[in-house]
Amino acid sequence: MRHPWWPREGAPSMAAVRAAARRSPTGLRAFWSSRRKEERGVEADRAVPEKEEKSEPSLICPPPRSQSYLPRDDLQSCLESHIREVFGPSLPEDWQQTPLQENRLKHRLLAQLVAELGHAVPNSQLHRMRHAGDVLGFYRTPVKDGTKIDELVAAELPPNLRIVWQQ
């Protein structure tokens, strides 16, 4: 039985290592790098062959679309009523200055707004919602549905440029 520290099978002998070291310091480096290349080649032979990649990437389908959102006319009164419902009667005089520090109440408010308006605050922007005015500003911003390719198709293009987009 071999000891765990004993050189593995196929490892170079000490005599071969000493001979490479005697040649020059770079000879030892070249010796070990050639060994690594050989081991990589053996590992590559054992690996499962990868799928052949196409030379040109193809766009099979467009990137996922975001839902369009147009703010309602009564958005401010809707948001104010939800804030009064969630935070109770103890609101500042200006309801837009209501702090959203408590995560439980902030979550309840945003969940109600998502259910009613059908537009959610993305996770990447939740930290920006510090006051009710921030939420109002987010929901006032319209979101258009479409991609850059859709915009290019709809735009007036020169006669030598044509975009054909099939879904």
Side-chain angles (χ1 to χ4, degrees):
M1 180 175 172
R2 261 183 349 143
H3 290 285
W5 52 267
W6 194 259
R8 64 174 191 246
E9 293 177 23
S13 67
M14 287 305 292
V17 173
R18 283 189 202 115
R22 270 183 261 146
R23 282 185 223 132
S24 71
T26 57
L28 189 59
R29 185 178 305 137
F31 174 78
W32 285 113
S33 67
S34 67
R35 290 286 302 169
R36 275 190 238 119
K37 287 178 186 174
E38 288 172 9
E39 288 176 2
R40 284 187 202 139
V42 170
E43 289 174 6
D45 292 342
R46 292 181 192 160
V48 177
E50 295 181 18
K51 295 179 182 176
E52 292 182 20
E53 293 185 24
K54 295 179 181 177
S55 60
E56 296 180 21
S58 65
L59 292 175
I60 295 172
C61 63
R65 293 177 173 231
S66 62
Q67 287 185 325
S68 62
Y69 168 74
L70 293 172
R72 297 178 3 182
D73 295 333
D74 64 336
L75 178 66
Q76 190 165 347
S77 62
C78 170
L79 183 58
E80 183 178 0
S81 67
H82 280 288
I83 288 177
R84 292 197 185 283
E85 180 185 332
V86 171
F87 288 91
S90 61
L91 288 177
E93 190 172 314
D94 182 15
W95 65 270
Q96 293 185 18
Q97 295 302 318
T98 304
L100 302 176
Q101 294 171 343
E102 195 173 333
N103 287 336
R104 182 179 52 86
L105 296 177
K106 181 178 180 179
H107 177 268
R108 187 183 307 162
L109 172 68
L110 293 176
Q112 287 180 2
L113 290 172
V114 167
E116 185 167 337
L117 301 174
H119 182 55
V121 178
N123 287 343
S124 62
Q125 294 185 14
L126 284 174
H127 70 283
R128 295 181 184 163
M129 305 297 145
R130 295 187 178 132
H131 300 296
D134 299 331
V135 176
L136 180 62
F138 173 79
Y139 279 103
R140 276 186 177 163
T141 307
V143 177
K144 62 180 180 178
D145 185 19
T147 63
K148 291 291 181 187
I149 293 177
D150 293 333
E151 290 176 20
L152 286 173
V153 168
E156 277 189 41
L157 299 173
N160 64 338
L161 181 62
R162 186 175 74 169
I163 296 177
V164 178
W165 188 254
Q166 298 174 352
Q167 292 183 353

